[in-house]
Amino acid sequence: MHPELKKALTKADAFMLRYPTICHYARFKEIEDKTGYSKVYFFLASFFALLSIVLTLGGVKLVSDLVSFLYPAYASFKAIDSGKPEDDTQWLTYW
């Protein structure tokens, strides 16, 4: 296996481990144990399949609308939780 690919798989696995609920880490771990293939392969295949379905059904405009809403919403909640009023002002003026 190419060293860069191995490094990317390690980073993807670390991402999945950092967010186990969102990434369904335990479920992909079960699949990895049953098949012998890395759980990262199944995670990426699922991600790209979902992305393909969204692009097919809603198009690029839907993806653009989702990103332009979800990221500021996430950043706003993160700013509120941080306790610093500067970032609250920055992100809450977006709305």
Side-chain angles (χ1 to χ4, degrees):
M1 183 182 302
H2 195 273
E4 290 296 320
L5 179 61
K6 193 172 224 172
K7 188 171 147 182
L9 290 175
T10 304
K11 283 184 178 182
D13 193 29
F15 175 81
M16 290 175 65
L17 192 56
R18 195 173 331 138
Y19 303 104
T21 306
I22 295 171
C23 298
H24 297 282
Y25 189 83
R27 195 170 289 170
F28 284 116
K29 181 69 175 149
E30 289 174 18
I31 295 171
E32 179 184 45
D33 292 341
K34 287 180 183 177
T35 63
Y37 292 106
S38 175
K39 61 189 154 294
V40 176
Y41 295 142
F42 294 107
F43 174 73
L44 292 175
S46 301
F47 174 78
F48 285 115
L50 180 63
L51 182 64
S52 297
I53 290 169
V54 169
L55 283 174
T56 301
L57 296 178
V60 176
K61 183 175 177 353
L62 176 63
V63 173
S64 171
D65 290 346
L66 285 174
V67 169
S68 64
F69 174 76
L70 292 177
Y71 178 73
Y74 168 76
S76 297
F77 282 114
K78 193 173 178 182
I80 290 169
D81 288 341
S82 73
K84 294 186 282 185
E86 300 86 34
D87 56 2
D88 293 357
T89 305
Q90 176 187 353
W91 282 105
L92 294 178
T93 53
Y94 176 84
W95 302 104

